[in-house]
């Protein structure tokens, strides 16, 4: 009799397995249809529980030995696994026994197109077919082709891209399916024209299938790949010395900082430090567990420490104390500590460093870090399309981008302008420089090499060869991007590379900070109203930017000169406006229309011009002077007429000529300097005419007047000398060379004649001078004889 195992207590567990209700093993996907390369989540239940059981993917109908992305269950009987996505086709998710290699459960699903979805629903494989993503592609756009239903056995299934009019066997590019029954492939973008995708089976030169499509300049790039392809605009060179307009970061300690270490000059050679030593750190603010501090010293490995943050309750004083080395130094170096104070604007830290010999102080500036996510650009282009990305259009744009030779030298580093322009770099590459990593460098160099080969194929195009030469010789961008950022700095990997990357990052950020502050300063000046305080502010900005003081320390020479030139324009605008305002406030009508009014107005003019000279440019001051000339023209002409009218009439007395000369001298001192130049000439001419007319009236009777009024004594001698000076303005002993009109010469001869006669009349000298008296009298007698 057969034992009743179901009732035997000793075999309770076995009975439960043998007699209890069985639970089916199952496997399922989280959706029936996936997008190409979308992650596939596989859920399993009631697995046997062996360590080597696994879930996997396989093409529909493939043998159990086919394993795509398989993952062990490690003894789990239920759970889920994420398996990498597939390019396209109909698949099964399978639960495989690790003991027997049998398929315990399966679930169909599709990746890609509608026919594949129908295949899942109908549990059958689609008919043999190939298709293109769309009937018309843009220039340079990769050509996406899906295929399904291939035998997948021999590996002789070949897809080719050929011009529509090309004979069979002639093609632009070929792709071997490599035993795949389903899949997707991207061919390189093509020039404008009509094309075909042709499927050849088993080496047959006659295509089994043909699918036509077109490439045209008018076609739009597919939306989901537009972000990946590098646009031609990204290859355009940036404006020299310009960056996109940015804004200052939010004030406060929390955020990203770049510091400049001030070292004593005597230590710069020994320490390799100086103005180029940098600090790079990010503060978390109150409650932060700590921060990483990098001290970048040119010529050395640099220091990297994990620091503990301490912030006073006011939030304005910071202490960073060493917690642990990130990169242990080669030498026995003491870890640095930092003390700093936040400025009232919350954007600048100033403080001290300990344990960095000869470098006791620093200044740090807060900045906005570019944290945009990875999106599009060359990196995504290569990841999605592989070699198909290297078409003429994409490679031309990319090589133009990489061969821009415009650089900005800052902190001893040549920084390509295509990197300084963060938007341009992000658009082309697909990641901000701040997020640049080791793998990005590899992809970048791979794509560059592929593009050099692609462009080099065209040996008949002069433009292509010139671009190729430029790409191979202008390597400033590759040189700058040579440093890589490891995925985790705390792991201590690639220390030198990371420090090098941070050195470039610090130089780039310092340049951006300097340009940002200079740009904001310039824009502020351009919006200023014309006041004395604003003018003083602009003059101060010219001084600090020109001297690279404060946040402008990293400005290259070209940038500094450019910003200073713009500020000087604003200085000229403000000073010119102020000068115009002062001139406009002067009202000539307020002053009386006589000499006193003119003198008073000239005094105000002099004060205005002197004040303007203190702040305006020389050309502006000269312009104000010219405008005053026009303003005073009418009043000066009026006063000149009054002065001419007040000149005394000529009279036939010598005293009238003396008074005329006295009047002229007074006019030169008090009136003429206030007249316009033309009016000065007119007034002087009128005075000279009056004196000449007086001299003409005096001349006929002047000798007799001299005889009557000049006595033959010492008093007469003094009188004749005074007369020569007062009437003719010439010392007596110089009258022999006196020049002038006829009347003046007559007066001069008369005075000389009377002076000579005085010698004769005064020749009687005291005793002891008899011989001299005789000589004098003899000379006088001769002179008198000739005069007679």
């Amino acid at each position: 009799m057969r034992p009743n195992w179901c009732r035997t207590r000793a075999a309770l567990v076995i009975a439960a397995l043998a007699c209890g209700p069985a639970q089916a093993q199952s496997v399922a996907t989280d959706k029936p249809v996936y997008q190409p390369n979308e992650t596939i989540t596989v859920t399993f239940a009631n697995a046997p529980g062996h360590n080597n059981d696994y879930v996997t993917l396989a093409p529909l109908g493939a043998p159990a030995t086919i394993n795509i992305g398989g993952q062990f269950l490690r003894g789990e009987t239920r759970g889920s696994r994420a398996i990498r996505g597939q390019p396209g086709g109909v698949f099964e998710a399978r639960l495989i026994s690790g003991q027997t290699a049998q398929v315990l459960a399966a679930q169909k699903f599709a990746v890609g197109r509608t026919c594949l979805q129908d295949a899942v629903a109908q549990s059958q494989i689609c008919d043999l077919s190939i298709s293109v993503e769309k009937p018309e592609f843009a220039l340079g756009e990769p050509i996406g082709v899906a295929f399904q239903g291939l035998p997948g056995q021999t590996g002789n299934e070949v897809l080719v891209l050929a011009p529509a009019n090309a004979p069979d066997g002639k093609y632009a590019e070929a792709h071997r399916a490599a035993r795949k029954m389903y899949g997707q492939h991207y061919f390189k973008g093509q020039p404008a024209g009509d094309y075909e995708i042709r499927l050849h089976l088993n080496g047959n030169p006659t295509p089994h299938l043909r699918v036509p499509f077109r490439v045209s300049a008018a076609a739009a790039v597919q939306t989901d790949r537009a972000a990946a392809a590098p646009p031609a605009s990204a290859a355009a060179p940036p404006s020299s010395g310009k960056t996109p307009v940015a804004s200052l970061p939010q004030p406060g300690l929390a955020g990203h900082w770049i510091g400049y270490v001030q070292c004593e000059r005597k230590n710069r050679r020994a320490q390799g430090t100086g103005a180029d030593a940098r600090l790079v750190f990010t503060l978390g603010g109150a409650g932060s567990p700590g921060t990483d501090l990098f001290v970048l010293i040119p010529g050395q490995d640099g220091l990297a420490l994990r620091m503990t943050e301490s912030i006073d309750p006011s939030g304005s004083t910071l202490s960073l104390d060493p917690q642990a080395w990130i990169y242990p130094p080669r030498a026995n170096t003491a870890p640095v500590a930092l003390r700093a104070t936040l400025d009232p604007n919350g954007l600048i830290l100033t403080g001290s460093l300990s344990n960095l010999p000869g470098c006791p102080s620093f200044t740090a500036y807060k900045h906005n870090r570019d944290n945009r996510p990875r999106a599009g650009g060359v990196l995504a282009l290569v990841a999605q399309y592989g070699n198909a990305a290297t078409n003429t259009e994409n490679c031309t744009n990319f090589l133009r981008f990489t061969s821009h030779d415009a650089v900005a030298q800052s902190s001893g580093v040549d920084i390509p302008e295509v990197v300084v322009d963060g938007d341009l770099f992000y658009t082309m590459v697909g990641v901000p420089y701040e997020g640049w990593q080791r793998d990005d460098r590899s992809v970048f160099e791979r794509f560059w090499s592929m593009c050099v080969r692609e462009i080099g194929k065209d040996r008949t195009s002069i433009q292509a060869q010139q671009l190729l030469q430029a790409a191979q010789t202008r390597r400033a961008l590759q040189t700058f991007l040579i440093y890589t950022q490891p995925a985790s700095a705390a792991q201590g990997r690639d220390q030198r590379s990371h420090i090098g990357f941070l050195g470039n990052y610090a130089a780039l950020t310092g340049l951006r900070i300097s340009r940002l502050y200079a740009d904001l300063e310039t824009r502020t000046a351009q919006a200023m109203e014309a006041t004395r305080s604003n003018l003083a502010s602009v003059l101060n900005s010219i001084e600090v930017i020109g001297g690279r003081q404060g946040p402008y320390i990293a400005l290259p020479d070209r940038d500094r000169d450019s910003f200073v030139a713009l500020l000087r324009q604003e200085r000229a605008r403000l000073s010119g406006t102020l000068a115009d305002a002062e001139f406009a406030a002067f009202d000539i009508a307020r002053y009386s229309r006589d000499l006193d009014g003119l003198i008073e107005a000239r005094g105000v003019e002099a004060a205005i011009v002197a004040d303007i000279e203190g702040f305006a440019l020389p050309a502006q001051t000269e312009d104000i002077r010219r405008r005053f000339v026009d303003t005073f023209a009418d009043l000066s002409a009026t006063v000149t007429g009054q002065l001419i009218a007040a000149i005394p009439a000529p009279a036939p007395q010598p005293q009238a000529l003396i008074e005329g000369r006295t009047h002229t001298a007074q006019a030169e001192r008090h009136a003429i300097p206030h007249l316009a130049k033309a009016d000065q000439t007119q007034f002087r001419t009128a005075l000279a005419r009056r004196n000449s007319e007086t001299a003409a009236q005096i001349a006929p009777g002047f000798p007799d007047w001299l005889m009557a009024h000049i006595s033959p004594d010492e008093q007469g001698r003094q009188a004749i000398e005074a007369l020569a000076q007062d009437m003719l303005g010439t010392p007596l002993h110089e009258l022999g060379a006196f020049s002038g009109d006829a009347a003046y010469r007559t007066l001069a001869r008369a005075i000389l004649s009377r002076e000579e006669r005085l010698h004769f009349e005064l020749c009687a000298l005291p005793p002891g001078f008899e011989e001299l008296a005789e000589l004098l009298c003899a000379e006088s007698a001769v002179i008198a004889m000739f005069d007679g």
Side-chain angles (χ1 to χ4, degrees):
M1 181 175 177
R2 186 179 180 183
N4 188 347
W5 291 105
C6 294
R7 296 183 180 181
T8 302
R9 292 179 178 270
L12 182 60
V13 175
I14 296 176
L17 292 175
C19 307
Q23 295 184 352
Q25 294 156 334
S26 65
V27 68
T29 57
D30 58 335
K31 58 174 68 175
V33 179
Y34 294 86
Q35 295 296 320
N37 302 313
E38 181 182 0
T39 299
I40 298 162
T41 301
V42 178
T43 303
F44 59 92
N46 302 316
H50 305 126
N51 283 336
N52 58 349
D53 296 337
Y54 62 96
V55 292
T56 186
L57 306 182
L60 184 64
T65 55
I66 300 300
N67 176 4
I68 300 176
Q71 296 190 26
F72 289 111
L73 305 187
R74 308 294 183 188
E76 297 179 38
T77 59
R78 61 179 60 249
S80 63
R81 295 290 187 271
I83 301 177
R84 69 178 184 273
Q86 299 301 306
V90 179
F91 297 86
E92 282 184 337
R94 296 172 175 176
L95 173 61
I96 306 293
S97 168
Q99 301 295 313
T100 65
Q102 293 180 336
V103 178
L104 302 179
Q107 172 67 50
K108 301 180 184 67
F109 68 94
V111 177
R113 313 188 67 79
T114 303
C115 176
L116 303 179
Q117 299 177 32
D118 294 341
V120 173
Q122 299 169 10
S123 299
Q124 64 183 12
I125 300 176
C126 294
D127 292 333
L128 175 64
S129 67
I130 57 174
S131 61
V132 291
E133 286 185 336
K134 55 185 181 179
E136 189 170 2
F137 294 84
L139 293 176
E141 183 180 4
I143 312 300
V145 178
F147 57 90
Q148 57 189 8
L150 300 185
Q153 301 296 325
T154 65
N156 289 327
E157 301 86 5
V158 179
L159 294 167
V160 300
L161 184 153
N165 58 359
D168 293 341
K170 300 294 184 181
Y171 52 86
E173 186 179 350
H175 170 70
R176 189 176 297 277
R179 298 181 182 274
K180 293 181 181 178
M181 294 185 293
Y182 304 91
Q184 188 176 34
H185 177 71
Y186 284 98
F187 289 96
K188 295 179 181 180
Q190 301 296 317
D194 293 322
Y195 296 87
E196 287 181 343
I197 299 296
R198 300 170 182 175
L199 173 63
H200 295 267
L201 298 177
N202 300 318
N204 190 339
T206 302
H208 185 77
L209 292 175
R210 301 173 187 264
V211 177
F213 67 94
R214 173 172 294 179
V215 175
S216 72
V221 179
Q222 186 171 315
T223 303
D224 61 356
R225 91 172 43 152
S233 60
S239 301
S240 177
K242 297 295 182 182
T243 53
V245 176
S247 59
L248 293 172
Q250 292 295 320
L253 286 171
H256 308 288
W257 296 84
I258 293 291
Y260 297 87
V261 180
Q262 286 81 44
C263 295
E264 298 173 4
R265 184 171 298 276
K266 65 181 181 179
N267 289 312
R268 290 183 183 176
R269 183 180 298 274
Q271 289 290 123
T273 55
D276 288 336
R278 296 288 185 269
L279 304 177
V280 177
F281 57 96
T282 299
L283 299 176
S288 171
T291 187
D292 294 342
L293 173 67
F294 297 91
V295 183
L296 309 175
I297 306 175
Q300 299 187 21
D301 290 341
L303 306 176
L305 302 102
R306 183 67 177 173
M307 311 291 284
T308 300
E309 290 184 30
S310 298
I311 302 173
D312 74 334
S314 68
S316 61
T317 302
L318 167 72
S319 296
L320 293 182
D321 295 301
Q323 186 180 119
W325 288 105
I326 297 176
Y327 299 144
R330 297 182 181 182
N332 186 18
T333 304
V336 300
L338 179 150
R339 303 288 182 271
T341 302
L342 189 66
D343 80 320
N345 293 324
L347 298 176
I348 301 176
L349 279 171
T350 55
S352 61
L353 289 168
S354 61
N355 297 328
L356 194 62
C359 304
S361 60
F362 74 94
T363 302
Y365 300 92
K366 192 174 184 181
H367 65 94
N368 286 324
R369 184 181 174 93
D370 192 346
N371 290 321
R372 284 179 286 185
R374 293 172 174 265
V378 167
L379 301 180
L381 189 71
V382 176
Q384 182 173 0
Y385 304 117
N387 291 343
T390 56
N391 56 63
T392 302
E393 182 77 10
N394 289 342
C395 286
T396 298
N397 292 339
F398 180 67
L399 292 184
R400 284 176 180 170
F401 172 78
T402 63
S403 60
H404 291 324
D405 56 358
V407 297
Q409 189 176 70
S410 179
S411 306
V413 179
D414 288 337
I415 309 173
E417 288 288 356
V418 294
V419 180
V420 179
D421 187 338
D423 285 346
L424 177 60
F425 186 80
Y426 182 75
T427 300
M428 174 57 77
V429 179
V431 60
Y433 181 76
E434 287 84 336
W436 189 252
Q437 295 184 0
R438 180 195 302 107
D439 293 342
D440 299 333
R441 169 70 181 178
S442 300
V443 173
F444 187 92
E445 280 300 307
R446 173 190 166 197
F447 189 63
W448 184 87
S449 299
M450 291 191 299
C451 283
V452 166
R453 289 194 297 270
E454 179 73 19
I455 297 300
K457 293 177 182 177
D458 188 355
R459 299 183 180 277
T460 62
S461 170
I462 296 177
Q463 292 83 356
Q465 293 304 309
Q466 288 176 340
L467 177 59
L468 184 63
Q469 182 180 9
Q472 293 173 328
T473 56
R474 301 174 186 172
R475 303 297 301 272
L477 179 60
Q478 280 94 325
T479 300
F480 187 80
L481 296 179
I482 195 169
Y483 296 114
T484 58
Q485 180 179 5
S488 175
Q491 295 178 11
R493 296 180 301 172
D494 300 333
Q495 173 180 348
R496 294 181 65 86
S497 292
H498 192 200
I499 292 295
F501 167 81
L502 288 175
N504 281 1
Y505 166 73
L508 170 64
T509 304
L511 172 59
R512 286 176 173 172
I513 290 173
S514 293
R515 283 185 174 176
L516 170 61
Y517 274 90
D519 185 66
L520 292 176
E521 195 75 15
T522 302
R523 292 175 182 273
T524 300
Q526 291 169 341
M528 282 181 175
E529 296 181 354
T531 65
R532 293 295 184 95
S533 60
N534 285 344
L535 178 59
S537 176
V538 171
L539 290 172
N540 180 70
S541 297
I542 292 174
E543 180 179 356
V544 296
I545 292 178
R548 293 194 185 93
Q549 303 172 28
Y552 313 107
I553 187 173
L555 274 182
D557 291 345
R558 181 180 56 190
D559 290 56
R560 177 198 60 190
D561 296 343
S562 175
F563 283 116
V564 167
L566 291 173
L567 287 170
R568 283 176 176 161
Q569 292 178 8
E570 297 312 306
R571 177 240 197 271
R573 175 182 65 84
L574 296 178
S575 60
T577 303
L578 289 171
D580 290 343
E582 289 205 32
F583 176 80
F586 176 80
D587 184 7
I588 193 71
R590 296 173 50 192
Y591 304 96
S592 60
R593 299 185 65 77
D594 53 23
L595 182 59
D596 290 340
L598 178 62
I599 292 173
E600 182 183 2
R602 287 295 192 188
V604 175
E605 175 201 12
I608 292 174
V609 171
D611 185 50
I612 291 174
E613 280 181 324
F615 63 80
L617 299 173
Q620 293 172 334
T621 304
E622 189 59 33
D623 178 65
I624 293 296
R625 287 195 177 100
R626 287 194 296 267
R627 290 156 70 180
F628 268 120
V629 168
D630 297 337
T631 301
F632 275 87
D634 182 64
L635 179 57
S636 175
T638 299
V639 172
T640 300
Q642 295 172 355
L643 294 174
I644 292 174
I647 297 175
Q653 292 85 26
Q655 186 62 30
L657 185 56
I658 294 173
E659 292 174 354
R661 285 190 53 78
T662 302
H663 186 79
T664 299
Q666 291 176 344
E668 287 288 353
R669 290 192 302 270
H670 302 295
I672 290 178
H674 304 290
L675 301 177
K677 290 188 178 299
D679 295 332
Q680 291 177 1
T681 301
Q682 182 183 2
F683 186 35
R684 286 192 179 106
T685 301
L687 289 171
R689 185 185 304 113
R690 182 266 184 196
N691 291 338
S692 180
E693 292 173 352
T694 300
Q697 293 185 15
I698 294 173
F702 190 56
D704 296 336
W705 184 89
L706 288 173
M707 292 298 297
H709 290 81
I710 303 301
S711 59
D713 52 23
E714 186 60 32
Q715 185 177 0
R717 184 191 298 276
Q718 296 175 1
I720 199 70
E721 290 180 355
L723 196 63
Q725 186 69 46
D726 294 342
M727 288 185 65
L728 302 179
T730 303
L732 183 64
H733 64 276
E734 295 180 5
L735 279 185
F738 183 81
S739 62
D741 60 21
Y744 279 109
R745 290 196 300 273
T746 298
L747 297 180
R749 284 197 300 271
I751 291 175
L752 284 173
S753 176
R754 182 58 183 141
E755 193 269 340
E756 292 298 336
R757 290 182 183 279
L758 282 176
H759 278 290
F760 181 75
E761 294 169 356
L762 298 175
C763 64
L765 294 179
F769 292 91
E770 290 81 0
E771 293 181 2
L772 179 61
E774 183 178 357
L775 177 61
L776 288 175
C777 289
E779 290 179 354
S780 299
V782 172
I783 293 173
M785 180 179 65
F786 279 104
D787 284 345

